Amino acid sequence: MSTSTLIINCGSSSIKYALISDQLDTRISGLAENLGSEHARIRGMTFGEQPLDLSLPYADHEQALEVLLQRLSQHQPTAIGHRVVHGGTLTKAELLTPEIIQSIRQATPLAPLHNPAHLIGIEATMRLFPELPQVAVFDTAFHQTMPAHAYRYALPKFLFSEHNVRRYGFHGTSHAYVSERASQLAGAIKHGGWLTAHLGNGSSTCAVWNGKSVDTSMGLTPLEGIVMGTRSGDVDPSLHQFLANNLGWSLERIDKMLNSESGLLGLSNLSNDMRTLVEASEQGHADATLAIEVFAYRLAKSLAAISCGLPQIHGLVFTGGIGENSAYVREKTMAYLPHFGFSLDLEQNKSLPRGTEGRIDQGKGPQIWVIPTDEEGRIAQETQHVIRHL
Ligand code: AMP
């Protein structure tokens, strides 16, 4: 591999990594998991598609990164790009300086599960590689172009002006990548209006006009919006009071239920995995069938709602594990969206090989695309862009 960028995505006990050549054509990727426990290990692929499986009992983030980077150093990473979920009001990828690290720390109350883990990774790579330029690429940054009427909540003004309570949106690198790719495939780069549906364990929708996010379904945190694997998406805010008064639940209990026990898992009482639910539904599992129906209906409703941000709809893009792989969910969703002239080609939809790029409409009305997302590739590009403009 020629020179390359190392992409790091740190979770509380895991590190996803990818080493991507500057031409984006060669990649090595993997996962360090169970960090801090006796089962800590690194799994992945090395150059030449050789599997890598290293047991590192009780390794922490820094130790795992040290091992990883020793193994990857022969491929000469020239920069490190960190995925950071919440960048507050930062509008673009930034070179990591003490001030930017402080901004990430200040955004921690808005992403308490994600930002502290990113900071552990950032501090470890800075200690290990003080000579390499490092860049933070924020999930929130793409949505900073939303107009105030899309990002403000109808709440007392001081909550916004003094406490930054507003809608931020997430999955920005994915929505940015697939909307740009769609406009490229349609022959009008960064032009026109696109609806994008990133459907994975976390799911969100986005409306993109001329390459800029104008609305999205997630809000202050990644809980708002459509149905997800274990997250509820939108609920009546008075639910908190109802559960506190009637069941005596604490705020922590309610938060855990909404984030970890709801969504597809809560509705089906079976699984958060769409594959399992589709199979169960085929075998007559009524709650699995309902979970899929609620998922598709609320997704369609969200797409219809945020289409208000677009003067015109050129097309819709499905991406993420479910969007890329489930023809069934795509068909169910489009059945709820007959209003905008969309016409799904049922055969094309079914026959598109899983995880491949393809157009699935009948050639009239707005286009419908399936585009595999490439968050790592996008982070590598943004990292290189920041470094070129230093
Ligand atoms: P992601 O978070 O983008 O990796 O997506 C993960 C989700 O994709 C899993 O939870 C599965 O529900 C879903 N998924 C992957 N493959 C399929 C498939 N063939 N059919 C339905 N859902 C799938």
Side-chain angles (χ1 to χ4, degrees):
M1 196 185 283
S2 60
T3 54
S4 54
T5 306
L6 178 65
I7 309 304
I8 301 274
N9 179 0
C10 271
S12 54
S13 64
S14 68
I15 305 168
K16 275 194 202 154
Y17 67 90
L19 190 71
I20 303 185
S21 67
D22 293 349
Q23 289 71 38
L24 302 181
D25 51 359
T26 318
R27 298 182 185 210
I28 293 169
S29 61
L31 173 73
E33 56 189 347
N34 305 320
L35 296 175
S37 85
E38 68 177 303
H39 302 297
R41 65 193 316 116
I42 301 177
R43 275 192 245 244
M45 285 292 170
T46 61
F47 200 42
E49 301 285 301
Q50 295 300 310
L52 168 75
D53 193 348
L54 279 180
S55 177
L56 296 171
Y58 300 104
D60 61 14
H61 283 75
E62 187 159 349
Q63 287 159 335
L65 279 168
E66 198 163 1
V67 172
L68 259 177
L69 292 163
Q70 266 164 10
R71 296 185 72 96
L72 298 175
S73 57
Q74 54 181 302
H75 302 301
Q76 309 165 6
T78 51
I80 300 182
H82 292 267
R83 179 207 177 201
V84 177
V85 164
H86 217 305
T89 50
L90 291 170
T91 55
K92 57 181 179 43
E94 296 280 358
L95 186 74
L96 280 169
T97 59
E99 293 73 35
I100 295 296
I101 293 175
Q102 185 55 14
S103 301
I104 298 171
R105 195 162 281 120
Q106 276 165 357
T108 292
L110 299 169
L113 301 180
H114 294 97
N115 276 23
H118 302 322
L119 285 165
I120 291 173
I122 288 169
E123 279 160 9
T125 51
M126 290 217 141
R127 267 194 303 275
L128 292 166
F129 296 94
E131 74 286 1
L132 282 187
Q134 306 205 24
V135 171
V137 180
F138 304 102
D139 273 25
T140 45
F142 182 60
H143 302 298
Q144 283 293 311
T145 49
M146 286 195 288
H149 60 256
Y151 72 68
R152 283 288 296 275
Y153 290 112
L155 295 172
K157 185 175 178 184
F158 81 95
L159 289 173
F160 168 67
S161 51
E162 293 171 33
H163 301 283
N164 300 320
V165 175
R166 50 160 286 176
R167 306 183 64 251
Y168 290 93
F170 299 86
H171 292 139
T173 47
S174 179
H175 291 298
Y177 171 77
V178 298
S179 58
E180 190 171 316
R181 179 78 188 132
S183 58
Q184 202 176 39
L185 290 163
I189 188 135
K190 291 201 176 174
H191 186 74
W194 292 90
L195 293 169
T196 54
H198 176 104
L199 311 175
N201 246 326
S203 297
S204 65
T205 58
C206 184
V208 183
W209 180 250
N210 290 347
K212 293 193 162 71
S213 169
V214 291
D215 204 352
T216 189
S217 59
M218 285 178 165
L220 176 73
T221 74
L223 185 57
E224 184 177 333
I226 60 179
V227 175
M228 305 177 223
T230 60
R231 281 174 253 169
S232 61
D234 295 339
V235 292
D236 185 332
S238 294
L239 176 68
H240 288 67
Q241 186 164 15
F242 177 89
L243 295 174
N245 288 347
N246 291 285
L247 305 183
W249 283 16
S250 65
L251 277 180
E252 288 70 29
R253 177 74 192 91
I254 298 169
D255 198 50
K256 180 164 177 280
M257 180 272 292
L258 293 173
N259 276 289
S260 314
E261 300 163 13
S262 300
L264 293 173
L265 174 66
L267 277 164
S268 67
N269 203 20
L270 178 69
S271 172
N272 64 325
D273 192 311
M274 187 60 89
R275 279 165 296 203
T276 309
L277 297 185
V278 172
E279 274 169 34
S281 171
E282 281 164 4
Q283 286 158 18
H285 193 296
D287 289 333
T289 305
L290 180 68
I292 300 167
E293 211 61 51
V294 176
F295 181 92
Y297 177 68
R298 288 200 172 213
L299 167 58
K301 194 162 113 170
S302 170
L303 290 167
I306 61 170
S307 73
C308 295
L310 299 177
Q312 231 185 329
I313 304 175
H314 287 75
L316 163 62
V317 185
F318 286 99
T319 192
I322 300 171
E324 292 163 28
N325 294 299
S326 181
Y328 184 67
V329 171
R330 295 193 297 257
E331 185 178 329
K332 286 247 153 228
T333 306
M334 295 319 297
Y336 283 120
L337 276 177
H339 323 88
F340 302 99
F342 284 116
S343 54
L344 183 72
D345 184 322
L346 295 175
E347 274 319 302
Q348 284 275 95
N349 180 43
K350 276 202 192 85
S351 59
L352 187 73
R354 281 185 184 161
T356 58
E357 186 173 275
R359 191 170 159 182
I360 53 169
D361 59 84
Q362 293 177 21
K364 50 182 190 212
Q367 302 181 2
I368 311 173
W369 285 90
V370 176
I371 299 181
T373 195
D374 185 9
E375 287 167 289
E376 278 95 4
R378 178 86 188 187
I379 294 173
Q381 275 179 329
E382 292 200 23
T383 300
Q384 289 300 334
H385 182 80
V386 169
I387 284 163
R388 271 199 304 277
H389 289 84
L390 280 182

